[in-house]
Amino acid sequence: MKVISFILAGGSGKELGVLTRHRAKTAIPFGGRYRVIDFCLSNCANSGIKDIFVLAQYNPKSLINHIGMGKPWDLDRKTGGVYILQPSYNGEIAQWYKGTGDALLQNSDLINDSDADYVLILSGDQVYTMNYQNIIDHHIESSKPVTIVFKEIARSMNQYLGMLSVDNSGVINDFVEKPCSSNYKHAFMGIYLFNREYLIKLLYNKPRDLVFDLLMPEIEDGMVGGYEFKSFWQDIGSLSVYYRTSMNLLEDRCFLLDKDLPMFTRSKELAPTRFLSDSSVTNSILASGCTIGGNVVNSIIFPGVDISEGASIEDSIILPFSKISKNAVIKKAVIDKMVKVEEGVIIGVDTGGSAGGYITTVGKGSKIKKNSKIGKGSMIEPVSIVSGDLV
Amino acid sequence: MIDLVAFILAGGKGQRLSALTRYRAKPAVPFAGAYRIIDFTLTNCVKSGISRVFVLTQYISRSLVRHLGIGKPWDLDRREGGLTLLHPRLGYKGADWYKGTADAIYQNISVLEELERGNILILSGDHVYREDYSKFLDFHLESGASATMGVVCVPDELINQCGIATVDSDGNIEKFEEKPERSDSNLASMGIYIFKRKFLISILKRLKKKYEDLDFGKHIIPHLTSNKQLAAYRFEGYWLDIGTIKSYFKASQGLLDPRSGFDFYSNSNILTVPDDNPPMALGKGASVRNSMICGGCFIRGYVSSSILSPEVEVDKGAVVENSIIFHRCRIGAGARIKNTIIDKGSEVGEETSIGYGDKNVVNILQPSYLDSGITLIGRRTIIPAGISVGTNCLLAGSPREAMIDKRDYPDGDYFVSEREEP
């Protein structure tokens, strides 16, 4: 029994603000040392799936760099392994992927030529650990040609997700995309498993979108079975979800610690993190290669970050290789990679008024000059140089 | 590509490291939290452009073999060249252990004969330093000597522990003394050499006839010195030969001082087996100062002036001071640990205290190894809750009998379960 997997990783992730200006949504750093796509890739590696195609389109550079030939996931294999599939020029027109279904359609030759029994389709922008063998076992037992994965969620989240109705025998009988109000409590997780032959037939209809053009007609025909996933799962759709999901790790990070489903990532070999004499760190997650001289509270610090004496970081996420100088204060902010925050800077100052969103973001490679103040909810574009106050 | 092939001598027992080398070779002893001692030499090799590295093993090599694998972390998993381990082995004429450092190379003389490159770099697997060996090679080629020895300045108090070289005005070594009481020179041999390949083959063959336990320091170097065939190359910067528990501890503590320690942060990385642990987490009651902490650690207690390897857990209210804790150890709630080295996978029970006492009381079992106020806990030792362990103690369970007797251990006391092979 062989499975090939396609990971959808082409989305632009506009709602993630400055974090996706220069990178694919799936390449966003998460959890202190990972990138979001590591979850899918590690899950595949842990589930014994060795043929993986990553469908990339939007800002793929960081993704390509990160995945490489798949060494960290032991996917640098003689046959199979991980491939990144980007849209290409066919001699007449540039073939952009016009939707998730179209992305699959444009690579349907891989599905046709494969000798796999099943095709697993995943979304690269989700945070969860799962052994996909469980879906496959369920799929084989259910005898439906299509299985999708769902999870019970809080009703308040209905409006952000595709909601499903599941009958007693586990067959999906209705699907509503992001309903304002709905009685359905099961959300579609964007994970599909198809019999390969069956998927080939479905692709004859030239679907543009996987959900609307391919999945919904199949649900109407009663061909789709459901598999319920009960552990932690989160789709990283917006900056506030990214922030909230990250901060939740400080309360519960069990899913990162599962010895049966270990997480792998590409990382630089950095030295252990050094804490200086006057550092004070509580309730935080820190990666390697950092130098911590100041105060860190309720924060997530990525590799190679430098926090000088007297600096204070609270409720914040600092991405790799950023430097926070002496006496700088950062509150409830997401600081992207390689940002330089100079002495005495205050980021996330409460200006009293309503300042749009509440999370302050500073784009990659920016420089915040000495003693500048950046108000709560501000967004600094990548590679900006800020001096003076911005409130 | 650089014309150097490296042979790393990694078979030493490192007896003075006590329980740290009970189940592993000295080059495989963890150092600076994330590394093993041999990582420094291997990193130097690959950063100098050397792509063919032989590692000679002998004393309990399993942990070293597992660590090195096929050399992936150092990009030495190569189509041509790369990493090769040379173990003592059965041969046509019988079996033989390596009886000396040069004998180890002699027993692999066919490897030397098959190489096409002109220069051989002999290294030691238990030194901590950064060096670009291409500069060493340039010096060697320019000097025209048949062999060049790396030397380093040592403080006077170490002269009687080192091989001391006296260098003439041409840079040739004119006198070499092993562990002299006093000397006018303070240049110590680092035990690393570059030889012209053919010269090395011929001298090994010639001297092996005279000395069964052929050794670089004892035989080859004095022979070359008397024939004026040896040049000296002076290494600058941080260099450390970790020989004893005391020097291991001191070197580790030195890492915490950014001025005197080894600079891990501004220079290029030391390469090692990747750490796939999640990032460390510091809980609500945690306090960490002047310390180096690795991935996968979970700290809810108080840590100061200490080095923690990956996956160490320090529970609520526990205090870890001036200590070195290896991988996967667990320090129970309320435990107090000071001046202690705890080897991998050990557990300290709740409210137990370790390492407080009079450092002048030396260890009863190993008085010459454990005499400097450091308590040593061996690999996978389980220390019961609520006991008190003094300073200069040695507690080492075995993998099968990990739990040590539940009683207090006064200064200098020991518990060592019967030796079992791993």
Side-chain angles (χ1 to χ4, degrees):
Chain A
M1 184 196 58
K2 197 178 159 192
V3 182
I4 59 170
S5 161
F6 286 84
I7 301 178
L8 304 169
S12 67
K14 279 198 192 79
E15 279 140 34
L16 282 143
V18 296
L19 294 179
T20 48
R21 289 287 190 276
H22 287 307
R23 61 168 77 85
K25 186 179 172 188
T26 48
I28 290 180
F30 180 84
R33 72 172 293 193
Y34 307 105
R35 290 182 189 253
V36 175
I37 192 133
D38 290 340
F39 290 89
C40 269
L41 288 173
S42 300
N43 289 342
C44 281
N46 290 329
S47 310
I49 296 171
K50 288 151 190 156
D51 292 86
I52 300 163
F53 301 98
V54 179
L55 296 160
Q57 174 155 283
Y58 176 83
N59 277 346
K61 210 163 49 187
S62 51
L63 197 60
I64 292 166
N65 227 325
H66 182 68
I67 296 175
M69 55 179 199
K71 220 168 169 174
W73 302 270
D74 270 340
L75 290 168
D76 54 330
R77 300 175 64 86
K78 200 150 92 76
T79 54
V82 59
Y83 299 89
I84 297 174
L85 304 172
Q86 292 175 267
S88 56
Y89 176 65
N90 76 348
E92 287 164 26
I93 44 162
Q95 304 272 63
W96 292 113
Y97 296 152
K98 290 175 279 292
T100 48
D102 187 50
L104 209 57
L105 185 64
Q106 287 198 37
N107 294 290
S108 57
D109 53 332
L110 291 169
I111 301 170
N112 296 335
D113 297 347
S114 164
D115 60 351
D117 304 294
Y118 305 105
V119 179
L120 178 68
I121 296 175
L122 305 166
S123 300
D125 54 359
Q126 301 176 344
V127 171
Y128 63 107
T129 55
M130 187 194 299
N131 187 339
Y132 298 134
Q133 284 301 334
N134 298 338
I135 309 176
I136 296 161
D137 292 347
H138 181 93
H139 178 81
I140 292 169
E141 227 169 84
S142 81
S143 74
K144 291 283 177 194
V146 186
T147 298
I148 62 174
V149 185
F150 62 84
K151 180 176 166 58
E152 192 174 327
I153 56 153
R155 189 134 312 163
S156 59
M157 294 302 290
N158 281 10
Q159 50 180 316
Y160 303 108
L161 295 159
M163 301 306 296
L164 299 171
S165 154
V166 189
D167 74 12
N168 292 335
S169 57
V171 175
I172 310 289
N173 53 28
D174 195 17
F175 179 99
V176 194
E177 178 74 351
K178 299 177 184 165
C180 294
S181 69
S182 151
N183 290 324
Y184 299 160
K185 55 184 183 180
H186 295 126
F188 174 44
M189 286 171 54
I191 301 173
Y192 318 67
L193 185 70
F194 293 93
N195 288 348
R196 185 179 64 92
E197 306 280 355
Y198 195 77
L199 177 63
I200 292 171
K201 269 189 243 150
L202 294 181
L203 288 174
Y204 288 156
N205 305 327
K206 300 203 183 307
R208 201 180 171 98
D209 186 88
L210 268 182
V211 171
F212 296 111
D213 305 330
L214 193 145
L215 183 64
M216 301 249 288
E218 288 305 299
I219 289 176
E220 276 163 31
D221 294 350
M223 302 305 274
V224 182
Y227 170 78
E228 185 172 3
F229 182 62
K230 288 183 172 156
S231 305
F232 177 84
W233 171 85
Q234 184 63 56
D235 158 287
I236 303 295
S238 67
L239 183 65
S240 61
V241 172
Y242 172 76
Y243 180 81
R244 200 175 58 233
T245 311
S246 300
M247 286 300 150
N248 279 346
L249 293 174
L250 299 176
E251 302 304 321
D252 179 13
R253 59 195 175 104
C254 288
F255 72 101
L256 286 179
L257 305 175
D258 187 344
K259 296 273 182 212
D260 295 330
L261 298 169
M263 286 290 301
F264 304 104
T265 187
R266 180 179 302 277
S267 60
K268 286 210 169 80
E269 254 50 81
L270 296 175
T273 280
R274 181 173 54 178
F275 294 82
L276 305 180
S277 315
D278 295 323
S279 69
S280 153
V281 182
T282 56
N283 198 33
S284 295
I285 287 174
L286 296 93
S288 294
C290 300
T291 303
I292 311 292
N295 301 329
V296 179
V297 183
N298 304 334
S299 294
I300 296 175
I301 313 292
F302 280 74
V305 168
D306 219 328
I307 297 171
S308 300
E309 289 91 339
S312 167
I313 316 290
E314 203 182 317
D315 302 327
S316 295
I317 301 169
I318 318 277
L319 301 192
F321 300 104
S322 286
K323 305 271 174 243
I324 315 298
S325 305
K326 278 183 190 163
N327 305 323
V329 177
I330 298 178
K331 269 189 190 157
K332 202 170 178 181
V334 179
I335 309 290
D336 206 334
K337 270 174 112 169
M338 295 184 284
V339 168
K340 281 203 170 63
V341 174
E342 296 191 350
E343 276 180 42
V345 165
I346 303 180
I347 294 176
V349 193
D350 198 342
T351 49
S354 70
Y358 286 108
I359 305 155
T360 311
T361 49
V362 179
K364 186 174 168 181
S366 293
K367 194 178 202 177
I368 315 297
K369 296 273 208 180
K370 222 169 160 174
N371 298 327
S372 302
K373 288 189 176 62
I374 293 174
K376 194 155 101 177
S378 309
M379 185 167 84
I380 311 289
E381 287 295 321
V383 230
S384 308
I385 296 177
V386 179
S387 62
D389 296 352
L390 196 97
V391 289
Chain B
M1 192 181 281
I2 190 166
D3 183 13
L4 264 183
V5 173
F7 286 77
I8 302 178
L9 300 166
K13 188 169 174 189
Q15 197 160 13
R16 290 175 297 162
L17 285 172
S18 182
L20 295 185
T21 47
R22 188 178 175 191
Y23 296 116
R24 60 170 83 84
K26 189 171 156 191
V29 169
F31 185 68
Y35 308 99
R36 291 182 189 249
I37 296 174
I38 198 170
D39 291 339
F40 294 83
T41 299
L42 272 176
T43 302
N44 288 341
C45 283
V46 297
K47 299 235 162 141
S48 306
I50 298 171
S51 60
R52 194 182 278 267
V53 178
F54 295 91
V55 177
L56 294 103
T57 67
Q58 175 151 292
Y59 177 76
I60 310 180
S61 55
R62 195 188 60 174
S63 61
L64 194 59
V65 170
R66 273 185 65 184
H67 180 68
L68 298 177
I70 55 168
K72 226 169 166 175
W74 302 272
D75 273 334
L76 285 171
D77 52 332
R78 300 173 73 95
R79 197 167 59 83
E80 236 184 274
L83 181 78
T84 310
L85 297 174
L86 299 173
H87 310 284
R89 63 196 178 276
L90 272 173
Y92 180 66
K93 289 180 190 158
D96 226 345
W97 294 107
Y98 298 152
K99 289 179 287 294
T101 51
D103 183 52
I105 306 284
Y106 174 81
Q107 289 199 37
N108 292 289
I109 206 154
S110 60
V111 176
L112 278 180
E113 284 168 340
E114 284 158 21
L115 288 171
E116 275 155 30
R117 298 190 181 277
N119 297 291
I120 305 297
L121 174 64
I122 309 283
L123 297 167
S124 170
D126 47 17
H127 295 164
V128 176
Y129 62 116
R130 269 183 216 277
E131 179 65 35
D132 182 353
Y133 298 129
S134 66
K135 289 184 196 152
F136 187 16
L137 178 64
D138 289 347
F139 179 91
H140 168 73
L141 294 176
E142 229 165 82
S143 76
S146 307
T148 303
M149 177 166 86
V151 295
V152 65
C153 278
V154 292
D156 290 344
E157 67 264 25
L158 288 180
I159 284 177
N160 62 7
Q161 297 173 30
C162 300
I164 300 293
T166 311
V167 178
D168 70 15
S169 53
D170 301 331
N172 286 321
I173 294 173
E174 54 178 18
K175 197 164 100 187
F176 182 79
E177 300 165 285
E178 270 291 358
K179 300 176 182 165
E181 273 313 305
R182 63 178 71 81
S183 170
D184 292 336
S185 167
N186 63 350
L187 293 176
S189 163
M190 297 164 65
I192 77 171
Y193 320 96
I194 293 180
F195 284 89
K196 290 196 164 66
R197 183 177 64 97
K198 288 182 178 153
F199 177 76
L200 179 60
I201 293 169
S202 73
I203 195 144
L204 285 172
K205 283 184 174 165
R206 197 137 35 92
L207 292 185
K208 176 69 184 178
K209 288 181 191 136
K210 271 167 84 178
Y211 308 104
E212 184 57 25
D213 58 340
L214 196 58
D215 190 89
F216 281 104
K218 271 187 250 165
H219 310 120
I220 300 212
I221 297 309
H223 176 85
L224 296 177
T225 307
S226 58
N227 291 346
K228 291 247 180 288
Q229 284 171 305
L230 188 63
Y233 173 73
R234 226 168 119 166
F235 277 71
E236 304 286 349
Y238 187 98
W239 179 82
L240 211 66
D241 176 8
I242 293 164
T244 62
I245 287 291
K246 189 182 170 186
S247 69
Y248 178 85
F249 192 79
K250 201 176 151 205
S252 300
Q253 289 293 321
L255 298 173
L256 297 173
D257 182 350
R259 283 156 305 177
S260 69
F262 186 88
D263 186 1
F264 286 104
Y265 298 90
S266 59
N267 260 308
S268 62
N269 307 327
I270 299 298
L271 304 170
T272 187
V273 174
D275 161 26
D276 279 325
N277 287 302
M280 76 189 78
L282 272 59
K284 284 184 176 122
S287 164
V288 179
R289 292 202 171 155
N290 189 35
S291 295
M292 280 167 80
I293 317 277
C294 290
C297 286
F298 184 28
I299 296 166
R300 287 183 288 177
Y302 176 90
V303 177
S304 82
S305 303
S306 296
I307 297 177
L308 271 54
S309 290
E311 293 183 84
V312 171
E313 285 184 29
V314 178
D315 214 333
K316 278 182 192 145
V319 178
V320 177
E321 278 176 286
N322 292 312
S323 293
I324 300 160
I325 319 275
F326 288 1
H327 313 62
R328 292 184 292 284
C329 287
R330 299 161 74 102
I331 313 299
R336 288 159 65 233
I337 294 165
K338 195 176 181 181
N339 298 334
T340 299
I341 302 172
I342 307 185
D343 203 336
K344 280 189 178 183
S346 294
E347 288 177 27
V348 175
E350 292 181 9
E351 306 292 340
T352 280
S353 87
I354 303 177
Y356 295 85
D358 178 3
K359 66 183 231 173
N360 294 316
V361 183
V362 301
N363 191 264
I364 301 163
L365 187 69
Q366 300 185 339
S368 52
Y369 304 154
L370 290 167
D371 59 348
S372 53
I374 297 154
T375 286
L376 183 58
I377 311 294
R379 198 176 75 158
R380 285 192 215 142
T381 302
I382 296 175
I383 316 264
I387 66 165
S388 152
V389 179
T391 188
N392 285 328
C393 288
L394 171 64
L395 304 180
S398 71
R400 225 171 295 159
E401 284 180 0
M403 180 72 97
I404 65 163
D405 292 349
K406 182 162 183 173
R407 63 176 173 90
D408 286 346
Y409 293 82
D411 298 340
D413 202 356
Y414 69 92
F415 180 100
V416 179
S417 48
E418 282 299 293
R419 191 186 173 102
E420 288 170 59
E421 287 312 317

